[in-house]
Amino acid sequence: MTDFTVMLVDDEEDFLETLAKRLAKRNVCVLKAGSGKAALETIRKASVDVVALDMRMPGMDGIAVLKAIKAYDPAIEVVMLTGHASVEAAYEGIAQGAFDYLMKPVGIDDLLFKLQDAYKARTINLKRKQQGASPE
């Protein structure tokens, strides 16, 4: 399944570029953002299904970006990536609406499977919402 768009958000440029290349080789449409602010600008301009979001970034941290994403479009699924933050911070992300979290360094297959699961959840949630909104 590669018919969805993923945005990677991380301030570590090498990590961001490596993940983007590895996902692109697996036929995933990838957008990149090096900061929370850039991520929010991208979301307003492009169609994004799933976001892989670093927890710790300068400026807006992952939780602040997550809240802004969910306020803009609650249907976008977010997978939190944490290397420095504690598991408790990842749980806070889940409480704020994140789909799940992965610990960095993350294996590409683990990330891809999690992103696919998040996209499936998005698809199911959007179908439920459409069915609930349609007259019977």
Side-chain angles (χ1 to χ4, degrees), residues 16-41:
L16 185 66
E17 291 299 325
T18 300
L19 273 187
K21 286 177 186 173
R22 295 182 80 189
L23 287 172
K25 284 183 180 180
R26 287 160 175 82
N27 299 317
V28 175
C29 180
V30 179
L31 302 172
K32 300 176 288 185
S35 69
K37 182 179 177 185
L40 297 175
E41 289 171 5

Side-chain angles (χ1 to χ4, degrees), residues 4-8 47-52 75-79 99 114-120 122:
F4 64 103
T5 301
V6 172
M7 182 170 53
L8 303 175
S47 177
V48 175
D49 297 303
V50 180
V51 175
I76 296 174
E77 293 293 352
V78 178
V79 175
F99 176 76
K114 190 66 70 178
L115 295 172
Q116 288 172 333
D117 286 347
Y119 178 70
K120 288 176 191 172
R122 172 182 165 81

